[in-house]
Amino acid sequence: MWEPHVAPINHLADQIADAEGIPRGHVPYVDPDSGGILARALVLLDNPSRKAKAGSGSGLLSLDNDDRTAWTCRLAYEAAGVDRRSVVHWNACPFPTASKKSGSLDSERARAARWTRDLVTLCTKLEFVLLLGGPARDGWRRSGYPGNLIVIGQDRDIPHCSGQGLATADAKQRFYGAVDELAGRLQNTEKGLVGG
């Protein structure tokens, strides 16, 4: 987890833990199998799942976690042809939330906005942001990150990929459609880079 492409983000996770007064490792680290700071796409969710937290899970933001969100993203990326090394996952509220059952609070996302800005600054290859769920949209808005990034889901409701988020056929269609859109954008810009 201290490989060069993820170490800067994982140091940021420790910085967040220190600022929040919680033990290091309780802000999940980024999986080295992701793109880390070299990722071309940021996938922003709400808050760390129980399976990502140290003590109750892997301690990593990983597509290999044993939870519905990770499993759904992994399958969607495989189906759409998104290479996991082209993305990095992060949360609008990267630290443990007050509620054990519901999502992050407005106040928590407001407090966390600076960390989203810091993460984006670290990811120098970033071109795209995919916002999954209302809290991710709100967290992104609160971050006030200007930049020239293409943001998928800023002006439309793309659901979080949890079981609850994808409880209807319409929600599933919007989620998978957004992943397909991200895949297409990644492939098109990649072709443009090589002259194809």
Side-chain angles (χ1 to χ4, degrees):
M1 95 184 110
W2 300 109
E3 289 86 340
H5 70 294
V6 292
I9 300 175
N10 294 339
H11 284 301
L12 175 63
D14 282 344
Q15 185 182 349
I16 297 167
D18 292 347
E20 289 293 315
I22 58 177
R24 289 186 174 193
H26 284 241
V27 175
Y29 296 120
V30 170
D31 188 340
D33 287 344
S34 76
I37 61 170
L38 303 177
R40 296 175 56 214
L42 164 64
V43 178
L44 192 65
L45 298 108
D46 181 11
N47 65 86
S49 75
R50 193 173 50 80
K51 295 293 187 173
K53 293 177 183 172
S56 60
S58 69
L60 293 174
L61 297 175
S62 175
L63 292 173
D64 297 318
N65 282 345
D66 184 21
D67 66 40
R68 178 72 182 259
T69 296
W71 179 78
T72 302
C73 279
R74 186 173 64 245
L75 290 182
Y77 294 167
E78 288 171 2
V82 174
D83 185 335
R84 66 168 54 195
R85 293 168 300 182
S86 67
V87 300
V88 63
H89 282 210
W90 190 251
N91 289 293
C93 181
F95 45 82
T97 58
S99 171
K100 302 292 182 210
K101 295 191 176 184
S102 62
S104 60
L105 302 172
D106 290 351
S107 59
E108 290 170 328
R109 292 191 299 276
R111 200 166 80 233
R114 67 180 174 142
W115 305 121
T116 301
R117 287 192 301 273
D118 288 350
L119 173 85
V120 171
T121 301
L122 291 173
C123 297
T124 57
K125 306 288 186 190
L126 212 57
E127 301 170 63
F128 310 105
V129 179
L130 175 58
L131 305 176
L132 296 180
R137 276 194 313 282
D138 179 62
W140 181 256
R141 181 187 57 77
R142 289 175 187 273
S143 78
Y145 194 82
N148 57 349
L149 302 172
I150 295 171
V151 182
I152 302 168
Q154 187 167 359
D155 300 319
R156 67 183 195 260
D157 180 20
I158 299 169
H160 189 283
C161 49
S162 64
Q164 183 178 357
L166 300 182
T168 66
D170 177 60
K172 289 177 186 171
Q173 183 178 8
R174 284 182 282 125
F175 167 71
Y176 283 101
V179 173
D180 286 342
E181 179 182 342
L182 176 62
R185 288 182 180 276
L186 286 166
Q187 292 163 1
N188 286 340
T189 53
E190 194 171 77
K191 288 177 184 174
L193 291 173
V194 295

